[in-house]
Amino acid sequence: MEQKLFTEIIPLYRSRKDNPYTIRIRIRLQDAVDPVVLRRAVDTTMERYPYFCVKLQTRGAGFIFTENREPVVISNSKQGVTLNSADSNDHLLSFSYHDDWLFMDIFHGLTDGAGAYEVIRTLLYYYCCQRYNVTLSTAGIHIVGDKISPEEWECPAWRIWPA
């Protein structure tokens, strides 16, 4: 299966240039995306990355991340949804799909490209195992049940963790 990884920078709030940016990863799959399998894969992936299940709230003159128990949004569209809005359940990441394309949008304030790559690798692992009923190697993939180190919890934005 051939996969290409593309990244884009798009505004978190598309209507205002002065707001933070979102990293977009888009992957073209061999087959059309199965939304039921994708929902299970996203939910399982987010169990592995609980520190990305947050929303942005104001505190005084600044902002903080607080827990967000709402489901991460998956939309059937090429554009996705606006992060940190009602459309994204106030999440700072979301997934979307269209035909054989899979997209992940994540706020750059949560992580850098390397951290986003780890999330998408985990998602693809769970998606492909379920979609094609195969057992794939977990070598180099962060999966549910892995111990999350204190360093990963403290700084998920700028650290690449050993597999």
Side-chain angles (χ1 to χ4, degrees):
M1 176 168 68
E2 181 178 320
Q3 295 179 0
K4 294 184 179 177
L5 181 68
F6 301 92
T7 59
E8 304 174 22
I9 300 281
I10 56 176
L12 178 59
Y13 296 102
R14 296 178 196 277
S15 61
R16 292 183 48 198
K17 294 181 194 176
D18 59 338
N19 278 302
Y21 287 90
T22 298
I23 299 168
R24 166 166 271 204
I25 296 177
R26 56 186 178 141
I27 300 170
R28 191 165 202 177
L29 302 175
Q30 177 179 335
D31 300 308
V33 173
D34 181 323
V36 173
V37 174
L38 181 59
R39 174 82 264 165
R40 286 194 307 256
V42 166
D43 291 344
T44 305
T45 298
M46 298 323 299
E47 286 179 42
R48 172 53 181 85
Y49 298 95
Y51 46 79
F52 289 147
C53 294
V54 295
K55 56 187 166 184
L56 196 60
Q57 293 187 324
T58 57
R59 178 178 282 173
F63 297 91
I64 60 167
F65 295 130
T66 60
E67 184 178 18
N68 188 339
R69 294 178 189 234
E70 295 296 318
V72 171
V73 169
I74 301 170
S75 62
N76 183 359
S77 76
K78 292 179 185 177
Q79 291 77 27
V81 297
T82 301
L83 300 181
N84 198 40
S85 73
D87 290 342
S88 68
N89 285 339
D90 294 319
H91 276 282
L92 298 170
L93 82 159
S94 69
F95 297 89
S96 56
Y97 65 95
H98 182 75
D99 295 328
D100 58 351
W101 283 96
L102 175 62
F103 307 92
M104 181 180 85
D105 296 326
I106 188 165
F107 173 49
H108 197 334
L110 283 180
T111 191
D112 60 0
Y117 178 69
E118 294 300 326
V119 174
I120 203 71
R121 285 177 56 185
T122 302
L123 176 74
L124 286 173
Y125 168 80
Y126 286 118
Y127 180 82
C128 290
C129 285
Q130 293 175 34
R131 175 78 161 89
Y132 300 107
N133 196 27
V134 295
T135 302
L136 300 173
S137 169
T138 59
I141 308 288
H142 300 296
I143 60 171
V144 173
D146 285 352
K147 183 175 188 231
I148 300 174
S149 70
E151 293 84 13
E152 183 179 341
W153 271 104
E154 290 169 13
C155 190
W158 310 109
R159 177 150 170 80
I160 299 176
W161 312 283

